[in-house]
Amino acid sequence: MKSGGKYNRKDFLTTVFLGSLMLPFLQYCGKKGRSLMLKITGTNHVLGHKLWAKDFPKFSEEIYTKYLIVGGGISGLSACRFLSQNNQNDYLLLEMENRLGGNSSNGQNQFSKFPLGAHYLPLPNKENTELIDFLKDCGIYQGDDENGDPVLDEYQMTFPQQERLFYKNVWQNDIVPQKGTDAEVQKEFDRFFKTIDDFRQKKDAHGKYWFAIPVHDSSIENDAVKLEKIIFKDWLKEHHYTSEELLWLLDYSCRDDYGLGIDFVSAWAGIHYFAGRKNNWSRKYKDQVFTWPEGNARLAKHLSKFTDGKHKSGHLVFEVNLNDKVEVLSFDNLKKKTVKITAEKVLFTGPQFIAERIFSSKKVASFNYVPWLLTTITLKNEFGGDEELAWDNVIYGSAGLGYIFDQHQNVEQIIGEKVITYYRSFSSSDCRKARRKLYSMKESELKNLVLDDLKKAHPLIEDFILEMDFHKIGHAMIAPVPGQIFGEETQRAKEPIDGKIFFAHTDLSGISIFEEAFYQGLRTAQQMI
């Protein structure tokens, strides 16, 4: 959820989730009246919670491999790609879920694929050569033109209309509030984005950007890092940013990428959201992002080819012992048996709240993971959304983050029923309490929560709904609160154990976006070998 007319935000953007499921289509019967199909899905937290009990059978099978990757999200898949490309083919990947991709997963019904997590990738900075190389592997980046500008597959990018905002009871193009704002508000927007332009180019004495992607490449000089010790809202107040419209936009932006709003995230993270992207790779495609009906599951599929014959799904790692080699015990949830895997080195790509259940030396009490709800809604074709649906549709002042139109890139004349996906993070000072609340909510409560939000812009939307699929993600993403990115606890969590057990995940970056997951896997695998 992205840019904005005269205020170009596409360059500032970044991004979050899991699980695929075929949805049955609800037959509409006018004689009996309309009813809705309501369904709840989510990550396999029931299997994950078995780590607390550790009531597993003794191992009945042994496997030997040189490298073991634990976790099949983007970090784990990226690590497999790096190993394969560097002639290190003796590796095995284990994944707890029954499919790969982590927060870059998808579902599908008879009308469309839809994301169950992260749903777009902004254009990379020109410095991100490894990611650009991956986009070339995928056929998304097709080389350079005669002017040295990248040639990109436009069918894998957003089409017009890209985004819109419901503001003051009308829809406007882009999501920066503009129509009806007074001159003082416009001046404040101008001043903020001028400050961001300066931060985007700012470097330290060693030539490192203050705000870079990946985060690891950012400056760690004191003047930059001290921004990570204060709350973004306090920084905004100190610099006299007070307009309701600007503060709403910044709060929305932080919730969109970080799960938490300006009351909770650090000033460094809030500025990085805008300044981390340099907008320096392409002159032609500045305002667009890469996206697909299934979201970033498309990218996960490209990476998954490096796991063919080298991965096992439905496996929960519950114990790791370090001797001459690393001995790992994993519960095979399909066959209901325990497998012992002996490896020379292990790369653990799961989140730290799981790592601390397996490794006694791991304690990350201050790590905050934000819960999210995704709701995929199938609507009658007659639903017009008041105007032409954009790819990204945002409601000003909403507790949610709006919805995307999953069939946005469909070039056929007839698409059948419409499918949209609504996003909502639970921005709270107590993520654990918010997570328990989300898990306790039933279908009817979730329906009311979502529709109360959407009816602000679409009062009659319920008359068009055929099906609602709620997808709960309890630990969707790390929250970059003050001290999370550069704090001592995070630095300790990154440290390998005896040069044999390594860690890679976006919670070690402090920012949960595709690029960070990709680099965590790639660079940690490089360190491992």
Side-chain angles (χ1 to χ4, degrees), residues 67 69 74-89 91 130 133-134 137 303 306-307 347 518-529:
Y67 299 112
I69 296 94
I74 296 302
S75 292
L77 297 176
S78 177
C80 290
R81 174 177 178 267
F82 180 84
L83 292 173
S84 177
Q85 292 184 329
N86 286 272
N87 300 315
Q88 299 290 333
N89 294 307
Y91 60 87
E130 292 122 322
D133 181 64
F134 169 62
D137 288 348
L303 288 168
F306 296 99
T307 69
L347 175 53
F518 179 82
Y519 279 101
Q520 281 281 334
L522 184 155
R523 293 190 176 183
T524 309
Q526 185 178 36
Q527 179 187 9
M528 183 173 66
I529 68 172

Side-chain angles (χ1 to χ4, degrees), residues 119-124 135 140 152 156-157 281 289-292:
H119 59 281
Y120 67 93
L121 175 68
L123 268 67
L135 295 179
I140 298 171
L152 305 175
Q156 300 190 61
M157 305 179 79
W281 184 38
V289 300
F290 301 114
T291 191
W292 309 267

Side-chain angles (χ1 to χ4, degrees), residues 395-460:
I395 302 171
Y396 181 87
S398 168
L401 296 164
Y403 62 90
I404 59 169
F405 179 35
D406 297 313
Q407 296 142 309
H408 165 77
Q409 292 156 299
N410 193 316
V411 295
E412 299 178 5
Q413 293 296 312
I414 301 175
I415 63 173
E417 312 300 358
K418 291 185 172 73
V419 182
I420 65 174
T421 298
Y422 167 90
Y423 285 78
R424 187 180 188 127
S425 72
F426 292 82
S427 183
S428 166
S429 61
D430 190 337
C431 289
R432 292 184 181 183
K433 183 178 180 180
R435 182 160 42 252
R436 288 194 297 268
K437 175 65 175 176
L438 174 61
Y439 276 139
S440 71
M441 295 180 76
K442 306 302 182 184
E443 287 94 334
S444 59
E445 295 175 280
L446 295 170
K447 172 191 168 186
N448 291 335
L449 182 77
V450 173
L451 292 187
D452 285 350
D453 205 11
L454 290 177
K455 284 180 179 179
K456 295 171 185 174
H458 306 297
L460 302 179

Side-chain angles (χ1 to χ4, degrees), residues 47 95-98 312-316 331-334:
L47 176 59
E95 166 57 39
M96 183 184 75
E97 301 289 340
N98 61 4
K312 294 180 180 294
S313 298
H315 269 254
L316 174 66
F331 179 67
D332 183 337
N333 194 44
L334 178 63

Side-chain angles (χ1 to χ4, degrees), residues 30-300:
K31 187 175 181 180
K32 293 184 178 180
R34 184 176 56 81
S35 61
L36 301 183
M37 172 70 78
L38 305 177
K39 180 176 290 186
I40 294 177
T41 62
T43 56
N44 196 344
H45 66 280
V46 175
L47 176 59
H49 286 174
K50 287 176 71 69
L51 276 175
W52 275 252
K54 291 196 175 182
D55 183 21
F56 300 103
K58 292 184 178 180
F59 71 87
S60 57
E61 180 183 354
E62 292 189 63
I63 298 174
Y64 297 87
T65 187
K66 185 174 183 180
Y67 299 112
L68 178 67
I69 296 94
V70 179
I74 296 302
S75 292
L77 297 176
S78 177
C80 290
R81 174 177 178 267
F82 180 84
L83 292 173
S84 177
Q85 292 184 329
N86 286 272
N87 300 315
Q88 299 290 333
N89 294 307
D90 186 5
Y91 60 87
L92 175 68
L93 181 143
L94 302 180
E95 166 57 39
M96 183 184 75
E97 301 289 340
N98 61 4
R99 74 286 171 281
L100 301 174
N103 282 353
S104 294
S105 300
N106 76 284
Q108 183 172 349
N109 61 23
Q110 70 182 86
F111 302 112
S112 180
K113 294 179 180 179
F114 50 84
L116 289 173
H119 59 281
Y120 67 93
L121 175 68
L123 268 67
N125 300 335
K126 69 178 182 181
E127 295 86 358
N128 296 357
T129 55
E130 292 122 322
L131 182 56
I132 289 172
D133 181 64
F134 169 62
L135 295 179
K136 195 167 189 176
D137 288 348
C138 299
I140 298 171
Y141 165 44
Q142 301 173 343
D144 296 333
D145 63 17
E146 63 276 8
N147 298 315
D149 217 36
V151 178
L152 305 175
D153 183 356
E154 296 183 354
Y155 287 97
Q156 300 190 61
M157 305 179 79
T158 47
F159 298 167
Q161 178 181 5
Q162 182 167 289
E163 57 194 358
R164 61 178 184 163
L165 175 69
F166 189 74
Y167 176 61
K168 294 189 175 182
N169 295 317
V170 296
W171 288 101
Q172 63 158 62
N173 292 333
D174 85 58
I175 61 173
V176 175
Q178 294 183 53
K179 293 182 178 178
T181 58
D182 62 37
E184 290 303 311
V185 172
Q186 293 292 336
K187 287 180 181 178
E188 198 160 292
F189 272 111
D190 288 337
R191 181 165 63 90
F192 176 78
F193 283 113
K194 173 61 172 66
T195 299
I196 290 300
D197 285 339
D198 294 339
F199 273 128
R200 186 180 295 113
Q201 303 304 326
K202 197 171 184 62
K203 294 183 178 181
D204 65 17
H206 302 286
K208 297 186 73 172
Y209 283 115
W210 275 33
F211 302 94
I213 300 175
V215 167
H216 179 271
D217 293 346
S218 301
S219 172
I220 57 172
E221 289 191 354
N222 184 63
D223 284 347
V225 173
K226 69 181 182 182
L227 290 169
E228 212 252 335
K229 299 177 182 179
I230 59 176
I231 293 173
F232 192 26
K233 187 175 183 179
D234 292 342
W235 182 89
L236 292 167
K237 184 178 181 181
E238 178 186 346
H239 289 81
H240 309 293
Y241 294 112
T242 60
S243 76
E244 174 190 294
E245 291 85 351
L246 176 63
L247 294 181
W248 170 82
L249 176 66
L250 303 184
D251 188 68
Y252 160 82
S253 300
C254 290
R255 287 186 292 125
D256 187 40
D257 258 26
Y258 306 145
L260 299 185
I262 61 175
D263 290 325
F264 309 109
V265 303
S266 71
W268 193 95
I271 295 168
H272 182 275
Y273 175 93
F274 297 95
R277 302 199 179 280
K278 309 306 176 186
N279 193 28
N280 60 4
W281 184 38
S282 170
R283 288 167 289 187
K284 179 179 179 181
Y285 302 106
K286 289 183 179 181
D287 294 333
Q288 293 166 273
V289 300
F290 301 114
T291 191
W292 309 267
E294 67 269 40
N296 289 4
R298 178 75 65 91
L299 299 174

